[in-house]
Amino acid sequence: MENKRTEAVRMEPTKINMSRVALVNGGIDGAMLKAHKPRVMSKSGHSNVRIDKVDGIYLLYLQDLWTTVIDMKWRYKLTLFAATFVMTWFLFGVIYYAIAFLHGDLEMNKFSPKREPCVKNVDSLTGAFLFSLESQTTIGYGFRFITEECPHAIFLLVAQLVITTLIEIFITGTFLAKIARPKKRAETIKFSHCAVITKHNGELCLVIRVANMRKSLLIQCQLSGKLLQTYETKEGERILLNQASVKFNVDSSSESPFLILPLTFYHILDESSPLRDLTPQNLKEKDFELVVLLNATVESTSAVCQSRTSYVPEEIHWGYEFVPVVSLSPNGKYVADFSQFEKIRRSTDSTFYSVDSEKQKLEEKYRQEDQRERELRTMLLQQSNV
């Protein structure tokens, strides 16, 4: 009776606050997570890598002006949009004023009222600015207009319209490109905050959960991963962020035809996996970051979007499984209950809680020998360089 009661408690779903609680050896304890470690990719999918000390970086940004303007924040983009128009109005207004001044139009009313000016009713800088604004925006009130007296003023008007039209096309294009970016669609893709290691079809697997928060479909979904960790080569070179590919499958395939219900993706921890040496004892002691990328095509726009997140060892829980979120309602409809999306529970497989001590001791012995061999090789290499 006592064993049944214990098993019932063990199978109860658990809502875990991942920012505060860590799982150790498949159980929940009150220990706080380790000190914050640097991440290459944040949980929201933004890069934490800072680009520093690049010569001529502003020149590089100007050479790719299209991408630079698209990547601008909206407040800077709107400021640039308004400033561009005001500056072009004022710049050409100053030129019109200079033409009127050189032609003598500013003193025309006083000395020669019958003389034809270059631009009618432009006798001040304010008037020239208003004429430039009216011409560029094609308002055409009719009070100020250009005459046949000055061919260079006519040429300036044509140049203003051509140049400002190109500027308007560029700015309008960047606005449309920024609004239509699939980046916003990727923000409606949700990853589980934690990952679990459990058994699936008899295989030990690393499992994560992904959901589409919109009713519109995402087709041709492909999930892949990159394991980032420090690696030391046989020559003693220490690579800070070595990348190893991590393959994920769903329903025995690496590609899902569409993402409309929450899906569970599996990575098999076999001999070819870069995570093959994980054990319940060393999981929390490891120092790595698993970056997960989901590439999909938006059905409504045919644009390709990518959503990203990452997992560190403190966010991977051994011997747990996700609580099902999809159920069948009484009226025969499938329901995705997102209140269960982040919940995990202890696995029903008892093999997670039995430890083969001899095998672990042997593996630990091999790891120590390999570490000593690498240190000796590094020392010999340094001596030979000296």
Side-chain angles (χ1 to χ4, degrees):
M1 185 66 182
E2 185 66 26
N3 292 335
K4 292 181 179 180
R5 187 177 301 170
T6 303
E7 184 66 18
V9 173
R10 182 176 295 175
M11 289 296 298
E12 183 180 356
T14 305
K15 175 67 175 180
I16 299 179
N17 185 347
M18 299 304 170
S19 63
R20 291 183 175 273
V21 182
L23 279 74
V24 180
N25 296 335
I28 304 173
D29 65 6
M32 301 297 288
L33 290 176
K34 293 180 181 179
H36 176 72
K37 293 186 295 185
R39 305 175 75 131
V40 175
M41 190 73 62
S42 67
K43 295 296 290 184
S44 59
H46 295 91
S47 173
N48 290 328
V49 179
R50 185 182 69 179
I51 301 176
D52 196 11
K53 297 180 181 179
V54 179
D55 294 335
I57 187 170
Y58 295 108
L59 180 61
L60 295 176
Y61 286 162
L62 289 176
Q63 290 176 351
D64 188 12
L65 189 59
W66 176 264
T67 304
T68 302
V69 176
I70 291 179
D71 289 341
M72 278 183 177
K73 294 182 179 180
W74 277 109
R75 56 181 178 269
Y76 301 134
K77 193 174 181 65
L78 292 173
T79 303
L80 176 65
F81 177 78
T84 300
F85 282 100
V86 173
M87 289 176 61
T88 53
W89 295 337
F90 183 75
L91 175 63
F92 284 98
V94 169
I95 300 177
Y96 283 121
Y97 180 77
I99 291 175
F101 176 78
L102 295 175
H103 192 256
D105 296 344
L106 303 181
E107 304 293 334
M108 188 173 296
N109 294 332
K110 297 180 180 179
F111 302 104
S112 54
K114 295 182 179 180
R115 186 181 176 186
E116 192 75 12
C118 291
V119 182
K120 280 283 189 179
N121 300 311
V122 174
D123 51 7
S124 65
L125 183 60
T126 303
F129 175 79
L130 291 175
F131 174 73
S132 176
L133 186 153
E134 293 168 12
S135 299
Q136 185 170 324
T137 57
T138 65
I139 294 177
Y141 291 120
F143 182 70
R144 298 179 181 87
F145 57 92
I146 202 163
T147 66
E148 300 177 359
E149 181 69 18
C150 301
H152 47 280
I154 299 174
F155 175 79
L156 178 63
L157 177 63
V158 173
Q160 178 185 6
L161 296 179
V162 172
I163 294 172
T164 55
T165 300
L166 294 176
I167 294 175
E168 289 177 10
I169 292 173
F170 179 84
I171 294 178
T172 304
T174 58
F175 264 87
L176 293 175
K178 188 175 182 66
I179 294 173
R181 281 192 306 177
K183 178 181 178 181
K184 295 300 181 183
R185 181 63 179 92
E187 292 178 358
T188 58
I189 300 173
K190 184 177 182 180
F191 289 90
S192 58
H193 194 282
C194 70
V196 298
I197 295 179
T198 186
K199 286 286 186 69
H200 176 69
N201 290 335
E203 299 282 355
L204 189 62
C205 298
L206 173 71
V207 184
I208 64 172
R209 179 177 275 174
V210 185
N212 177 19
M213 307 302 291
R214 285 183 177 270
K215 288 186 177 181
S216 59
L217 294 180
L218 290 172
I219 58 178
Q220 300 299 318
C221 301
Q222 293 181 334
L223 190 79
S224 60
K226 288 292 183 181
L227 184 67
L228 308 179
Q229 61 182 346
T230 303
Y231 175 75
E232 188 174 340
T233 64
K234 294 181 179 180
E235 295 75 21
E237 180 185 1
R238 190 170 181 267
I239 302 176
L240 186 60
L241 291 175
N242 182 65
Q243 298 187 23
S245 297
V246 179
K247 297 181 180 179
F248 283 89
N249 301 318
V250 55
D251 298 330
S252 302
S253 173
S254 62
E255 182 174 310
S256 176
F258 60 88
L259 180 58
I260 188 172
L261 292 173
L263 291 179
T264 304
F265 288 85
Y266 305 90
H267 167 68
I268 301 176
L269 301 177
D270 54 12
E271 291 299 324
S272 62
S273 170
L275 297 170
R276 58 185 175 274
D277 60 341
L278 287 183
T279 65
Q281 286 70 34
N282 67 13
L283 174 59
K284 304 304 177 184
E285 299 173 358
K286 291 288 185 178
D287 184 13
F288 65 83
E289 180 179 353
L290 177 61
V291 178
V292 179
L293 307 97
L294 177 69
N295 296 294
T297 302
V298 183
E299 184 187 39
S300 55
T301 62
S302 297
V304 178
C305 68
Q306 184 183 88
S307 186
R308 302 172 293 271
T309 190
S310 70
Y311 299 93
V312 293
E314 289 77 12
E315 297 166 347
I316 302 175
H317 309 301
W318 189 286
Y320 276 72
E321 62 186 10
F322 286 108
V323 174
V325 296
V326 180
S327 60
L328 193 62
S329 64
N331 58 359
K333 291 186 176 180
Y334 288 100
V335 178
D337 184 6
F338 279 92
S339 65
Q340 306 288 326
F341 187 79
E342 298 287 356
K343 291 183 179 180
I344 60 176
R345 65 187 180 190
R346 293 287 291 270
S347 175
T348 57
D349 195 334
S350 60
T351 58
F352 282 111
Y353 317 114
S354 61
V355 180
D356 187 354
S357 59
E358 292 296 331
K359 180 180 178 181
Q360 289 188 356
K361 289 180 180 179
L362 187 60
E363 290 178 351
E364 185 65 25
K365 179 181 177 181
Y366 287 152
R367 278 194 294 269
Q368 292 178 358
E369 291 178 354
D370 184 63
Q371 182 66 25
R372 286 195 295 267
E373 184 179 352
R374 288 184 179 181
E375 292 176 355
L376 180 60
R377 190 182 300 113
T378 303
M379 187 181 300
L380 295 175
L381 184 61
Q382 292 175 350
Q383 291 178 356
S384 61
N385 291 334
V386 173

